Amino acid sequence: MPAQRSPRQSLTFEYRLAQEAINLRLQANGMPAGVRRAELLRKARQIDVAGELNKWLTSPGLLPPS
């Protein structure tokens, strides 16, 4: 019998990235200005960029290198 996938795994990669960025921003909003807050916001921006890169890399219009 094949293993069942958990509901979390059925979510798309982009959705999971977006959720993580939202969670990081929510954590940062509850903190005073400082190094930890800046790190959380930086990580959220990095995740946003990763999502955009993934969209670009998986787009049907992307041509292979020649």
Side-chain angles (χ1 to χ4, degrees):
M1 180 173 182
Q4 290 183 345
R5 296 177 72 174
S6 71
R8 182 146 178 91
Q9 290 177 336
S10 65
L11 302 174
T12 66
F13 181 62
E14 287 102 5
Y15 180 81
R16 292 191 317 254
L17 284 176
Q19 286 301 109
E20 183 62 20
I22 289 168
N23 290 337
L24 290 170
R25 285 188 177 93
L26 288 174
Q27 287 178 32
N29 285 339
M31 297 184 146
V35 174
R36 179 67 180 143
R37 183 174 191 262
E39 288 174 351
L40 290 171
L41 293 172
R42 181 179 53 82
K43 184 67 174 176
R45 284 191 300 272
Q46 288 175 337
I47 290 172
D48 290 337
V49 170
E52 291 299 316
L53 283 173
N54 186 60
K55 284 182 198 174
W56 177 69
L57 289 171
T58 58
S59 70
L62 184 63
L63 300 175
S66 53

